């Protein structure tokens, strides 16, 4: 296996074993034919890119049955409103600007450009989520972005002032074609802004559940700079985000067109201090993952032995890695509560734990709730005070396995 960016042989550092499609929620008739692959990750000692060894074909993950709708989190809706405002106020000064977003999903970000009458285009291959965006008046093409599509977009709309993306650049293995497409698409004065889960946070928080089929890459400043420099771009600024459990926003432009921020220089130095591109860091990460897995299994096994009722909270894509790596089964969890209609009534990938509507959690609180949607914990804790007040306890596992009850916390 060679690095998808620079062709150096990859150094594998962890395998999570056999994994199903993370968002492949399914009905019992599909159990027998469920697709599995080995989820394993390596890093490139030359360019620093952390990447999956194997990734399933894109159509297997992104299709007309895509189960993730961005609009399910109100805090994310606010986050993308702010992202859109930053682009609009800081980067669209010229007349009749044009914005392209890839992975635009249900239009959670582009709707703000649409409402402001700004020319925009979303590129979204998953037809069911793209349909929701279109219904909101968000101009959307239902395709996978790459250089060929960029040429078609330029022919139809002209070049773009801003290329934006969230939680999708790290999904795309043919990364050089994406950057070539950005170059085709972007005006000489244009800006590129995208954000994804950050390698530094994954390492610091042992949030190994950021590793699943869709996330073929875990980016750092080093790996992003390296990949884009080959195409004449320069990383000029960054903005750390708390979203999705620790993300990084990257701001890039054609080389030499914008000043490089001090913040970027400082974060580069921090990556060196954290050892983000050293083999020992990944060895330590692996042992932290194993410790986290064993601790979580011990808590859940004890709950089962004690006859406690435990429910999962949020059937996140990330939870597929946790459930299958830790060996969590329907014997541990009565069900997983989720607010997304398309997931309800189905079963979780691999372990086949039932996914039920949120009402079933709220109507009969369990003894323990396993917080799979930990990246939304601020939003969830704010609305679930009565679960704790009723004596319910949270089981969390990032940054470490812990039980949270009432006003106190008990470490495991
Ligand atoms: N930006 C949204 C959605 C992220 S989910 C958010 O942050 O909430 C990732 C989305 O990217 C999915 O809707 C998926 O269909 C889409 N996607 C995957 N590969 C893509 C590609 N090559 N080009 C454009 N979109 C892609
Ligand atoms: P995400 O972590 O990929 O954003 O997915 C979050 C999932 O959690 C999504 O399926 C919706 C679900 N969810 C709830 O069930 N309740 C909530 O309060 C929130 C914020 C999310
Ligand atoms: Zn490389």
């Amino acid at each position: 296996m060679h690095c998808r960016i620079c062709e150096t042989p990859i150094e594998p550092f962890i395998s999570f074993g056999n994994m199903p499609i993370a968002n492949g929620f399914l009905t019992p008739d599909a159990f027998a034919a469920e697709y599995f692959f080995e989820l394993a990750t390596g890093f490139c000692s030359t360019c620093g890119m952390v990447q999956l060894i194997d990734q399933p074909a894109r159509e297997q993950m992104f299709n007309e049955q895509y189960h993730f709708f961005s609009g399910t989190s109100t805090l994310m809706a606010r986050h993308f409103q702010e992202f859109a405002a930053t682009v609009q106020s800081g980067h669209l000064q010229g007349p009749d600007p044009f914005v392209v977003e890839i992975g635009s999903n249900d239009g959670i970000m582009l709707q703000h450009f649409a409402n402001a009458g700004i020319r925009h285009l979303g590129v979204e291959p998953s037809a069911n989520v793209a349909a929701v965006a279109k219904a909101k008046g968000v101009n959307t093409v239902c395709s996978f972005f790459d250089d060929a599509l960029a040429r078609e977009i330029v022919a139809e709309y002209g070049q773009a002032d801003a290329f934006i993306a969230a939680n999708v650049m790290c999904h795309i293995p043919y990364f050089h074609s994406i950057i070539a497409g950005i170059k085709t698409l972007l005006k000489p004065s244009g800006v590129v802004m995208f954000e994804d889960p950050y390698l530094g946070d994954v390492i610091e928080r042992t949030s190994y559940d950021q590793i699943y089929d869709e996330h073929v890459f875990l980016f750092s400043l080093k790996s992003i700079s390296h990949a884009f420099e080959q195409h004449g771009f320069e990383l000029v600024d960054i903005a750390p985000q708390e979203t999705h459990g620790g993300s990084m926003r990257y701001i890039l432009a054609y080389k030499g067109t914008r000043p490089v921020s001090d913040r970027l220089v400082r974060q580069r130095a921090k990556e060196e201090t954290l050892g983000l591109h050293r083999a020992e860091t990944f060895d330590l990460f692996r042992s932290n993952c194993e410790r986290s897995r064993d601790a979580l299994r011990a808590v859940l096994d004890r709950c089962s032995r004690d006859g406690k009722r435990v429910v999962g909270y949020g059937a996140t894509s990330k939870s597929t890695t946790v459930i299958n790596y830790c060996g969590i089964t329907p014997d541990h969890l009565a069900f997983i509560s989720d607010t997304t209609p398309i997931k309800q009534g189905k079963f979780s990938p691999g372990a086949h734990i039932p996914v039920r509507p949120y009402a079933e959690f709220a109507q009969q609180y369990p003894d323990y709730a396993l917080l799979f949607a930990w990246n939304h914990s601020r939003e969830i804790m704010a609305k679930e005070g009565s679960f704790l007040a009723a004596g319910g306890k949270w089981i969390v596992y990032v940054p470490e396995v812990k039980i949270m009850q009432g006003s106190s916390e008990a470490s495991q």
Side-chain angles (χ1 to χ4, degrees), residues 387-410:
F387 169 57
L388 284 180
K393 300 182 178 82
W394 290 103
I395 303 172
V396 298
Y397 48 85
V398 174
E400 57 198 7
V401 175
K402 254 187 202 168
I403 293 180
M404 289 162 42
Q405 50 194 328
S407 55
S408 66
E409 269 179 20

Side-chain angles (χ1 to χ4, degrees), residues 122-402:
V123 180
E124 176 46 69
S126 297
N128 60 333
V129 293
V132 174
K134 287 181 195 168
K136 286 183 192 164
V138 173
N139 192 25
T140 306
V141 52
C142 188
S143 300
F144 288 95
F145 183 76
D146 59 11
D147 191 30
L149 188 77
R151 286 172 202 285
E152 288 177 33
I153 295 173
V154 173
E156 190 171 344
Y157 299 90
Q159 282 190 307
D161 297 82
F163 174 95
I164 58 178
N167 307 304
V168 60
M169 292 290 280
C170 72
H171 292 42
I172 310 180
Y174 38 99
F175 207 58
H176 284 299
S177 177
I178 297 298
I179 306 176
I182 296 174
K183 196 169 175 178
T184 301
L185 194 59
L186 200 70
K187 286 181 186 166
S189 58
V191 70
V192 180
M193 255 196 212
F194 64 86
E195 61 189 34
D196 288 283
Y198 179 53
L199 175 64
D201 291 310
V202 172
I203 297 292
E204 282 194 305
R205 302 175 188 190
T206 316
S207 44
Y208 65 85
D209 54 350
Q210 295 288 11
I211 300 171
Y212 56 90
D213 54 2
E214 295 178 17
H215 290 178
V216 67
F217 295 124
L218 276 176
F219 297 145
S220 62
L221 274 56
K222 176 175 169 166
S223 60
I224 285 300
S225 295
H226 180 278
F228 275 81
E229 274 168 14
Q230 294 177 40
H231 296 264
F233 289 99
E234 184 176 24
L235 184 58
V236 293
D237 198 6
I238 46 109
Q241 310 288 325
E242 264 311 310
T243 48
H244 285 303
S247 296
M248 187 63 77
R249 183 177 298 166
Y250 303 91
I251 297 110
L252 299 108
Y254 288 109
K255 190 165 176 53
T257 59
R258 293 177 190 227
V260 172
S261 76
D262 293 343
R263 197 159 51 164
L264 168 56
V265 174
R266 283 197 301 275
Q267 188 67 29
R268 275 212 170 105
K270 193 174 166 202
E271 288 195 346
E272 287 307 312
T273 318
L274 280 173
L276 278 198
H277 309 103
R278 283 208 303 264
E280 309 86 85
T281 304
F282 298 107
D283 286 342
L284 182 61
F285 175 72
R286 183 184 52 241
S287 58
N288 288 341
C289 292
E290 288 163 359
R291 207 178 45 229
S292 172
R293 174 195 63 193
D294 296 346
L296 183 57
R297 256 307 284 274
V299 169
L300 293 172
D301 286 346
R302 198 177 62 218
C303 287
S304 294
R305 270 199 312 274
D306 295 348
K308 302 293 184 192
R309 190 164 166 268
V310 188
V311 160
Y313 195 103
T316 58
S317 24
K318 291 189 291 299
S319 69
T320 295
T321 298
V322 177
I323 289 170
N324 292 285
Y325 175 57
C326 299
I328 300 172
T329 68
D331 292 336
H332 294 110
L333 298 185
F335 62 88
I336 306 171
S337 155
D338 197 282
T339 52
T340 316
I342 191 178
K343 295 181 183 175
Q344 297 163 356
K346 292 192 178 152
F347 292 80
S348 75
H352 303 159
I353 299 166
V355 181
R356 306 298 307 162
Y358 172 70
E360 293 189 23
F361 169 81
Q363 278 159 14
Q364 193 198 348
Y365 284 142
D367 299 308
Y368 292 84
L370 174 54
L371 186 59
F372 287 130
W374 61 269
N375 51 309
H376 301 290
S377 75
R378 197 150 56 95
E379 177 172 348
I380 292 168
M381 294 307 149
K383 66 184 177 193
E384 297 298 357
S386 52
F387 169 57
L388 284 180
K393 300 182 178 82
W394 290 103
I395 303 172
V396 298
Y397 48 85
V398 174
E400 57 198 7
V401 175
K402 254 187 202 168

